[in-house]
Amino acid sequence: MNLSIESPRDLIATLGYLCLGSRLKRLGERMQTSVAQHLGARGHEVQPAQLPLLWALQEHGGAMTIGALGERLGISQPGVSRAIASLEGQGLVRPTRAGKDRRQRQIAISPAGEALMADLSARFFPAVQRAVEQLCLAAGPDLLARIDRIEDDLADAPLEARIAAQLAKADA
Amino acid sequence: MNLSIESPRDLIATLGYLCLGSRLKRLGERMQTSVAQHLGARGHEVQPAQLPLLWALQEHGGAMTIGALGERLGISQPGVSRAIASLEGQGLVRPTRAGKDRRQRQIAISPAGEALMADLSARFFPAVQRAVEQLCLAAGPDLLARIDRIEDDLADAPLEARIAAQLAKADA
DNA sequence: CTCGATAGTATAACGCGATATATATCGCGA
DNA sequence: TCGCGATATATATCGCGTTATACTATCGAG
């Protein structure tokens, strides 16, 4: 073991939090991949990251703009644009008659989209929900609530500012 | 609110876990982005996802193969290959004399890589650690341990199999 | 010794998150 | 009415995770 720089134990402890971003990304990726595999096996072209958009449109009960979708789901606007373009190609959503403001597009779920959601809601979504819930509860309660909390806190003070504050505090 | 399919409340609850993958990905992405911004501001070309590789090489105290790095960090082999190629381009790691098996490459941290880690370990890594720790502890204790646990459980039984099991159970 | 199976790595392709930027439209003030 | 800043969306690019696949080297059986 090379101890020329400093104690590796310190490095390990520090890297534990430093790697959290990468670990969370990988964990999320694996969840999405599993859902994608099941969707593919059922013959559905839709991607897991597109399901929240269909859900939001269905929950809203009418047409929504790209910006409203992004705000509702916490996804960046370009991400929504790309996903909606794909969903349009699959015929799962459709643009409705433009309103007064011709800059924005009004997007609504299509009958095919509603049929897809009805199909998946019957058995598939509950199965995924129970599988993920089982996984999370085994590690402790209220994981979703804590993710909520972290997202809210980050909205108040971005991590970038928090790091800057810690650096400044260390200087003092 | 469109109630034609089923109760939207059910959809919300189900989608809460269904969207967890996407949410975790976004959360991790934001963390990495913040770290990347600070690294860039300090004039470092290294990307946040490459730091665990440097850490692993330093902790190991000698050359490691691509496969060993991936196994140590839980990253896929192609991900390691790509990151190592970039780190080599930056001069932060170097391939050492090949061993007996000429299929594998022995990668070691370079003096420049050690200098970088020493520089970042002095103030930057601790600041990031404290910032992320503060964020996580505000939402509750032992988040890292719970992530550990979820990763371990997923290694035992992949989510894909868990979903399949839930689907089968629902049939019975 | 040769050949087929296996193992290690690199590459390609894709998904999806981000930011930066281009473009079209709106709204408002001079 | 004209023009200019603001806003909504689309597009380009990048980071980084994945799987699939190609290629090379090794090993073991005959």
Side-chain angles (χ1 to χ4, degrees):
Chain A
M1 187 96 64
N2 185 342
L3 301 178
S4 61
I5 300 297
E6 67 175 50
S7 161
R9 283 293 129 202
D10 295 347
L11 266 181
I12 290 176
T14 301
L15 266 287
Y17 279 102
L18 194 61
C19 297
L20 185 57
S22 181
R23 291 176 69 188
L24 291 178
K25 274 191 72 174
R26 270 184 285 126
L27 204 51
E29 183 67 40
R30 291 177 65 177
M31 292 184 183
Q32 302 253 75
T33 298
S34 299
V35 173
Q37 284 178 337
H38 277 276
L39 286 173
R42 286 169 158 255
H44 297 307
E45 193 187 344
V46 69
Q47 297 294 326
Q50 299 168 354
L51 294 175
L53 292 166
L54 291 177
W55 163 73
L57 288 171
Q58 186 157 328
E59 186 224 29
H60 182 258
M64 296 177 76
T65 66
I66 301 291
L69 280 166
E71 199 163 343
R72 177 74 182 85
L73 297 170
I75 302 174
S76 67
Q77 173 263 312
V80 176
S81 283
R82 183 167 40 186
I84 289 296
S86 170
L87 288 170
E88 263 188 82
Q90 300 170 56
L92 299 176
V93 304
R94 58 184 167 76
T96 64
R97 227 5 87 232
K100 270 183 61 181
D101 190 337
R102 288 189 312 182
R103 288 172 302 179
Q104 41 189 15
R105 302 178 60 211
Q106 299 285 340
I107 307 293
I109 192 168
S110 71
E114 294 201 343
L116 174 67
M117 289 298 277
D119 176 28
L120 295 177
S121 299
R123 297 176 60 249
F124 182 64
F125 286 167
V128 174
Q129 190 262 348
R130 283 193 302 270
V132 178
E133 185 178 39
Q134 177 195 49
L135 185 68
C136 294
L137 287 182
D142 302 323
L143 183 64
L144 278 186
R146 292 173 64 167
I147 302 292
D148 282 342
R149 172 66 188 272
I150 292 176
E151 285 176 344
D152 290 346
D153 286 356
L154 270 185
D156 286 343
L159 187 58
E160 195 191 348
R162 293 167 182 265
I163 294 173
Q166 289 293 337
L167 283 169
K169 189 191 297 180
D171 276 341
Chain B
M1 188 95 66
N2 184 341
L3 301 178
S4 61
I5 300 296
E6 65 175 50
S7 162
R9 284 293 130 200
D10 294 346
L11 267 183
I12 290 175
T14 301
L15 267 287
Y17 279 103
L18 194 60
C19 297
L20 185 57
S22 182
R23 290 176 70 187
L24 290 179
K25 275 191 70 174
R26 270 185 283 126
L27 204 50
E29 184 67 40
R30 290 177 67 178
M31 292 184 184
Q32 303 256 76
T33 299
S34 299
V35 173
Q37 284 177 337
H38 278 275
L39 286 173
R42 286 167 158 258
H44 297 306
E45 193 188 345
V46 69
Q47 296 295 327
Q50 298 168 354
L51 295 176
L53 292 167
L54 291 177
W55 163 73
L57 288 172
Q58 186 157 328
E59 185 224 28
H60 182 259
M64 295 177 74
T65 67
I66 301 290
L69 280 166
E71 199 163 343
R72 177 74 182 86
L73 297 169
I75 303 175
S76 67
Q77 172 264 311
V80 175
S81 283
R82 184 167 38 187
I84 289 296
S86 170
L87 288 171
E88 264 188 80
Q90 300 171 56
L92 300 176
V93 304
R94 58 184 167 75
T96 65
R97 229 0 90 231
K100 270 184 59 181
D101 190 335
R102 289 189 312 185
R103 287 171 303 182
Q104 44 189 16
R105 301 178 60 211
Q106 299 286 340
I107 307 294
I109 193 169
S110 72
E114 294 201 343
L116 174 67
M117 289 297 278
D119 175 29
L120 295 177
S121 299
R123 296 177 60 248
F124 182 64
F125 286 166
V128 174
Q129 190 261 349
R130 284 193 301 270
V132 178
E133 185 178 37
Q134 177 195 50
L135 185 67
C136 294
L137 286 182
D142 302 324
L143 183 64
L144 278 187
R146 291 172 66 167
I147 301 293
D148 282 341
R149 171 66 187 272
I150 292 175
E151 285 177 343
D152 290 346
D153 286 356
L154 269 185
D156 286 343
L159 188 59
E160 194 192 348
R162 293 166 181 266
I163 295 173
Q166 289 294 336
L167 284 169
K169 189 192 296 182
D171 276 342

